[in-house]
Amino acid sequence: MSVGVIGTGFVGRGWAICLARAGHEVRLWDPAPDAAEAARAYIAEMLPDLAAADLLGGRAPDAVLERIRVAPDMATAVRGARHIQESAPEDLLLKTALFAELDALADPGAVIASSSSALLPSAFTEGLAGAGRCLVAHPVNPPHLIPLVELVPAPWTAEETLARTETLLREIGQSPVRLEREVDGFLLNRIQAAVLDEAFRLVDAGLASADAVDACLRDGLALRWVFMGPFETIDLNAPEGVRDYVARYQPMFRRLTDTMRESADWSGPVLDRIEADRRARLPQEALRARQMWRDRRLMALAAFRRQSLQS
């Protein structure tokens, strides 16, 4: 199957890998000069590491790269494509214009999905002739290492569009979840917002350092959350399951959440403290190397999770 990937930043590159390693033909396009070529070069550099972690579906790096081509223009990128994945910046005017152009250029049977992490699909697809084939398919960055994808419909998105996108994502090894209707922040970022807001609040109140808060997630909650979500966690953390857990612990959590009504100002003085903690742990010039370290750790984790969940 042919797929057009529009926008070739970190997310677009990740989508290209996901699709090409599953055997699909990918055409990249980006309006910035040489951006698509640079993305393909970046992918070529990353593929051997993915092969070493057995994350290319048994395919050789060169075979995967061969399926990723740079298109000279957007029309060529989407011509004949059954699925189009847009990963442009989070700018409503830009996405509105882009979706109007994509709807005009794409084959009638193509699904047009946005990687948007914040914009509601109704905001940039209303009034399009092909509005029913449009939706948000929001991945977690980097999508070739983290499988979750949120499928967010506009009020007019067709059920067939959702079903086809869900099928494709499962076929390429992603883990799609559907929202019943659109909501600001979707699912993942609403959950992440609650965690981040409390993390900032704890540091702002002088209760702990940024390192201590990171450790609570990294060395505590995250070890369970690698394999299960919060509902399965509490279902397994009481002798009689989730109802027993709520009976035992809801009063404690109610007491805690009553103290969480006011947000910290993330950009206020607390940011100076958090940035100082982070730069003491990781100098600015070491960020790029640490990002590469993160991706290699995610590769190892992805391979381990796949083996564990299959056993």
Side-chain angles (χ1 to χ4, degrees), residues 232-249:
E232 185 175 5
T233 295
I234 66 173
D235 196 30
L236 301 180
N237 273 5
E240 302 300 324
V242 63
R243 189 172 295 275
D244 184 20
Y245 187 95
V246 170
R248 290 168 181 261
Y249 299 113

PDB file of all heavy atoms in Angstrom, residues 232-249:
ATOM      1  N   GLU A 232      -5.773  -1.261  35.840  1.00  0.00           N
ATOM      2  CA  GLU A 232      -5.296  -2.625  36.110  1.00  0.00           C
ATOM      3  C   GLU A 232      -4.412  -2.638  37.355  1.00  0.00           C
ATOM      4  O   GLU A 232      -4.446  -3.591  38.148  1.00  0.00           O
ATOM      5  CB  GLU A 232      -4.528  -3.191  34.920  1.00  0.00           C
ATOM      6  CG  GLU A 232      -4.138  -4.643  35.125  1.00  0.00           C
ATOM      7  CD  GLU A 232      -3.479  -5.299  33.923  1.00  0.00           C
ATOM      8  OE1 GLU A 232      -3.218  -4.594  32.918  1.00  0.00           O
ATOM      9  OE2 GLU A 232      -3.223  -6.511  33.992  1.00  0.00           O
ATOM     10  N   THR A 233      -3.627  -1.568  37.542  1.00  0.00           N
ATOM     11  CA  THR A 233      -2.778  -1.484  38.735  1.00  0.00           C
ATOM     12  C   THR A 233      -3.601  -1.598  40.010  1.00  0.00           C
ATOM     13  O   THR A 233      -3.296  -2.400  40.902  1.00  0.00           O
ATOM     14  CB  THR A 233      -1.991  -0.165  38.740  1.00  0.00           C
ATOM     15  OG1 THR A 233      -1.079  -0.156  37.629  1.00  0.00           O
ATOM     16  CG2 THR A 233      -1.184  -0.007  40.018  1.00  0.00           C
ATOM     17  N   ILE A 234      -4.674  -0.809  40.119  1.00  0.00           N
ATOM     18  CA  ILE A 234      -5.447  -0.861  41.363  1.00  0.00           C
ATOM     19  C   ILE A 234      -6.282  -2.134  41.450  1.00  0.00           C
ATOM     20  O   ILE A 234      -6.561  -2.626  42.550  1.00  0.00           O
ATOM     21  CB  ILE A 234      -6.315   0.408  41.564  1.00  0.00           C
ATOM     22  CG1 ILE A 234      -7.415   0.534  40.509  1.00  0.00           C
ATOM     23  CG2 ILE A 234      -5.433   1.656  41.578  1.00  0.00           C
ATOM     24  CD1 ILE A 234      -8.387   1.681  40.774  1.00  0.00           C
ATOM     25  N   ASP A 235      -6.665  -2.695  40.305  1.00  0.00           N
ATOM     26  CA  ASP A 235      -7.392  -3.958  40.316  1.00  0.00           C
ATOM     27  C   ASP A 235      -6.548  -5.072  40.948  1.00  0.00           C
ATOM     28  O   ASP A 235      -7.074  -5.972  41.615  1.00  0.00           O
ATOM     29  CB  ASP A 235      -7.774  -4.335  38.890  1.00  0.00           C
ATOM     30  CG  ASP A 235      -8.857  -5.408  38.810  1.00  0.00           C
ATOM     31  OD1 ASP A 235      -9.696  -5.473  39.735  1.00  0.00           O
ATOM     32  OD2 ASP A 235      -8.866  -6.162  37.831  1.00  0.00           O
ATOM     33  N   LEU A 236      -5.225  -4.989  40.734  1.00  0.00           N
ATOM     34  CA  LEU A 236      -4.306  -6.007  41.260  1.00  0.00           C
ATOM     35  C   LEU A 236      -3.750  -5.651  42.634  1.00  0.00           C
ATOM     36  O   LEU A 236      -3.058  -6.470  43.245  1.00  0.00           O
ATOM     37  CB  LEU A 236      -3.145  -6.215  40.281  1.00  0.00           C
ATOM     38  CG  LEU A 236      -3.520  -6.669  38.866  1.00  0.00           C
ATOM     39  CD1 LEU A 236      -2.271  -6.824  38.005  1.00  0.00           C
ATOM     40  CD2 LEU A 236      -4.319  -7.955  38.890  1.00  0.00           C
ATOM     41  N   ASN A 237      -4.038  -4.447  43.123  1.00  0.00           N
ATOM     42  CA  ASN A 237      -3.442  -3.976  44.377  1.00  0.00           C
ATOM     43  C   ASN A 237      -4.375  -4.074  45.576  1.00  0.00           C
ATOM     44  O   ASN A 237      -4.109  -3.475  46.616  1.00  0.00           O
ATOM     45  CB  ASN A 237      -2.956  -2.524  44.225  1.00  0.00           C
ATOM     46  CG  ASN A 237      -1.534  -2.465  43.678  1.00  0.00           C
ATOM     47  OD1 ASN A 237      -0.958  -3.484  43.328  1.00  0.00           O
ATOM     48  ND2 ASN A 237      -0.981  -1.269  43.609  1.00  0.00           N
ATOM     49  N   ALA A 238      -5.464  -4.773  45.438  1.00  0.00           N
ATOM     50  CA  ALA A 238      -6.357  -5.049  46.564  1.00  0.00           C
ATOM     51  C   ALA A 238      -6.803  -6.509  46.457  1.00  0.00           C
ATOM     52  O   ALA A 238      -6.972  -7.024  45.338  1.00  0.00           O
ATOM     53  CB  ALA A 238      -7.568  -4.118  46.547  1.00  0.00           C
ATOM     54  N   PRO A 239      -7.002  -7.177  47.569  1.00  0.00           N
ATOM     55  CA  PRO A 239      -7.309  -8.617  47.531  1.00  0.00           C
ATOM     56  C   PRO A 239      -8.501  -8.972  46.655  1.00  0.00           C
ATOM     57  O   PRO A 239      -8.487  -9.995  45.972  1.00  0.00           O
ATOM     58  CB  PRO A 239      -7.570  -8.958  49.003  1.00  0.00           C
ATOM     59  CG  PRO A 239      -6.807  -7.936  49.770  1.00  0.00           C
ATOM     60  CD  PRO A 239      -6.855  -6.688  48.954  1.00  0.00           C
ATOM     61  N   GLU A 240      -9.542  -8.121  46.643  1.00  0.00           N
ATOM     62  CA  GLU A 240     -10.756  -8.445  45.893  1.00  0.00           C
ATOM     63  C   GLU A 240     -10.925  -7.583  44.642  1.00  0.00           C
ATOM     64  O   GLU A 240     -12.023  -7.482  44.104  1.00  0.00           O
ATOM     65  CB  GLU A 240     -11.977  -8.291  46.805  1.00  0.00           C
ATOM     66  CG  GLU A 240     -11.932  -9.157  48.061  1.00  0.00           C
ATOM     67  CD  GLU A 240     -11.859 -10.642  47.731  1.00  0.00           C
ATOM     68  OE1 GLU A 240     -12.486 -11.046  46.738  1.00  0.00           O
ATOM     69  OE2 GLU A 240     -11.173 -11.380  48.471  1.00  0.00           O
ATOM     70  N   GLY A 241      -9.860  -6.917  44.209  1.00  0.00           N
ATOM     71  CA  GLY A 241      -9.939  -6.193  42.955  1.00  0.00           C
ATOM     72  C   GLY A 241     -10.296  -4.733  43.080  1.00  0.00           C
ATOM     73  O   GLY A 241     -10.203  -4.122  44.150  1.00  0.00           O
ATOM     74  N   VAL A 242     -10.727  -4.137  41.958  1.00  0.00           N
ATOM     75  CA  VAL A 242     -10.860  -2.697  41.844  1.00  0.00           C
ATOM     76  C   VAL A 242     -11.890  -2.124  42.825  1.00  0.00           C
ATOM     77  O   VAL A 242     -11.672  -1.065  43.420  1.00  0.00           O
ATOM     78  CB  VAL A 242     -11.185  -2.298  40.384  1.00  0.00           C
ATOM     79  CG1 VAL A 242     -12.517  -2.854  39.913  1.00  0.00           C
ATOM     80  CG2 VAL A 242     -11.159  -0.782  40.212  1.00  0.00           C
ATOM     81  N   ARG A 243     -13.032  -2.811  43.031  1.00  0.00           N
ATOM     82  CA  ARG A 243     -14.048  -2.297  43.958  1.00  0.00           C
ATOM     83  C   ARG A 243     -13.520  -2.297  45.386  1.00  0.00           C
ATOM     84  O   ARG A 243     -13.762  -1.363  46.166  1.00  0.00           O
ATOM     85  CB  ARG A 243     -15.335  -3.109  43.850  1.00  0.00           C
ATOM     86  CG  ARG A 243     -16.502  -2.513  44.628  1.00  0.00           C
ATOM     87  CD  ARG A 243     -17.798  -3.250  44.340  1.00  0.00           C
ATOM     88  NE  ARG A 243     -18.196  -3.094  42.947  1.00  0.00           N
ATOM     89  CZ  ARG A 243     -18.895  -2.057  42.484  1.00  0.00           C
ATOM     90  NH1 ARG A 243     -19.264  -1.087  43.311  1.00  0.00           N
ATOM     91  NH2 ARG A 243     -19.214  -1.982  41.202  1.00  0.00           N
ATOM     92  N   ASP A 244     -12.762  -3.323  45.732  1.00  0.00           N
ATOM     93  CA  ASP A 244     -12.161  -3.405  47.061  1.00  0.00           C
ATOM     94  C   ASP A 244     -11.149  -2.274  47.246  1.00  0.00           C
ATOM     95  O   ASP A 244     -11.071  -1.643  48.309  1.00  0.00           O
ATOM     96  CB  ASP A 244     -11.490  -4.780  47.212  1.00  0.00           C
ATOM     97  CG  ASP A 244     -10.915  -5.017  48.590  1.00  0.00           C
ATOM     98  OD1 ASP A 244     -11.331  -4.340  49.547  1.00  0.00           O
ATOM     99  OD2 ASP A 244     -10.030  -5.899  48.716  1.00  0.00           O
ATOM    100  N   TYR A 245     -10.351  -1.989  46.194  1.00  0.00           N
ATOM    101  CA  TYR A 245      -9.352  -0.915  46.267  1.00  0.00           C
ATOM    102  C   TYR A 245     -10.034   0.432  46.533  1.00  0.00           C
ATOM    103  O   TYR A 245      -9.597   1.209  47.382  1.00  0.00           O
ATOM    104  CB  TYR A 245      -8.550  -0.857  44.967  1.00  0.00           C
ATOM    105  CG  TYR A 245      -7.396   0.115  45.017  1.00  0.00           C
ATOM    106  CD1 TYR A 245      -6.121  -0.318  45.337  1.00  0.00           C
ATOM    107  CD2 TYR A 245      -7.576   1.480  44.747  1.00  0.00           C
ATOM    108  CE1 TYR A 245      -5.050   0.566  45.387  1.00  0.00           C
ATOM    109  CE2 TYR A 245      -6.523   2.372  44.799  1.00  0.00           C
ATOM    110  CZ  TYR A 245      -5.258   1.910  45.121  1.00  0.00           C
ATOM    111  OH  TYR A 245      -4.213   2.796  45.190  1.00  0.00           O
ATOM    112  N   VAL A 246     -11.117   0.696  45.805  1.00  0.00           N
ATOM    113  CA  VAL A 246     -11.819   1.978  45.973  1.00  0.00           C
ATOM    114  C   VAL A 246     -12.384   2.086  47.389  1.00  0.00           C
ATOM    115  O   VAL A 246     -12.302   3.157  48.025  1.00  0.00           O
ATOM    116  CB  VAL A 246     -12.924   2.128  44.914  1.00  0.00           C
ATOM    117  CG1 VAL A 246     -13.816   3.329  45.218  1.00  0.00           C
ATOM    118  CG2 VAL A 246     -12.305   2.277  43.519  1.00  0.00           C
ATOM    119  N   ALA A 247     -12.953   1.008  47.896  1.00  0.00           N
ATOM    120  CA  ALA A 247     -13.497   1.036  49.252  1.00  0.00           C
ATOM    121  C   ALA A 247     -12.418   1.334  50.287  1.00  0.00           C
ATOM    122  O   ALA A 247     -12.651   2.049  51.268  1.00  0.00           O
ATOM    123  CB  ALA A 247     -14.181  -0.292  49.567  1.00  0.00           C
ATOM    124  N   ARG A 248     -11.228   0.791  50.065  1.00  0.00           N
ATOM    125  CA  ARG A 248     -10.133   0.963  51.018  1.00  0.00           C
ATOM    126  C   ARG A 248      -9.478   2.347  50.926  1.00  0.00           C
ATOM    127  O   ARG A 248      -9.127   2.937  51.949  1.00  0.00           O
ATOM    128  CB  ARG A 248      -9.045  -0.101  50.762  1.00  0.00           C
ATOM    129  CG  ARG A 248      -9.440  -1.522  51.121  1.00  0.00           C
ATOM    130  CD  ARG A 248      -8.410  -2.499  50.544  1.00  0.00           C
ATOM    131  NE  ARG A 248      -8.749  -3.885  50.825  1.00  0.00           N
ATOM    132  CZ  ARG A 248      -8.217  -4.607  51.812  1.00  0.00           C
ATOM    133  NH1 ARG A 248      -7.323  -4.062  52.613  1.00  0.00           N
ATOM    134  NH2 ARG A 248      -8.581  -5.856  51.990  1.00  0.00           N
ATOM    135  N   TYR A 249      -9.288   2.846  49.687  1.00  0.00           N
ATOM    136  CA  TYR A 249      -8.378   3.977  49.504  1.00  0.00           C
ATOM    137  C   TYR A 249      -9.015   5.254  48.977  1.00  0.00           C
ATOM    138  O   TYR A 249      -8.345   6.295  48.939  1.00  0.00           O
ATOM    139  CB  TYR A 249      -7.226   3.570  48.566  1.00  0.00           C
ATOM    140  CG  TYR A 249      -6.415   2.428  49.107  1.00  0.00           C
ATOM    141  CD1 TYR A 249      -6.428   1.183  48.478  1.00  0.00           C
ATOM    142  CD2 TYR A 249      -5.657   2.580  50.263  1.00  0.00           C
ATOM    143  CE1 TYR A 249      -5.685   0.123  48.982  1.00  0.00           C
ATOM    144  CE2 TYR A 249      -4.904   1.533  50.775  1.00  0.00           C
ATOM    145  CZ  TYR A 249      -4.932   0.300  50.133  1.00  0.00           C
ATOM    146  OH  TYR A 249      -4.196  -0.747  50.642  1.00  0.00           O
TER     147      TYR A 249
END
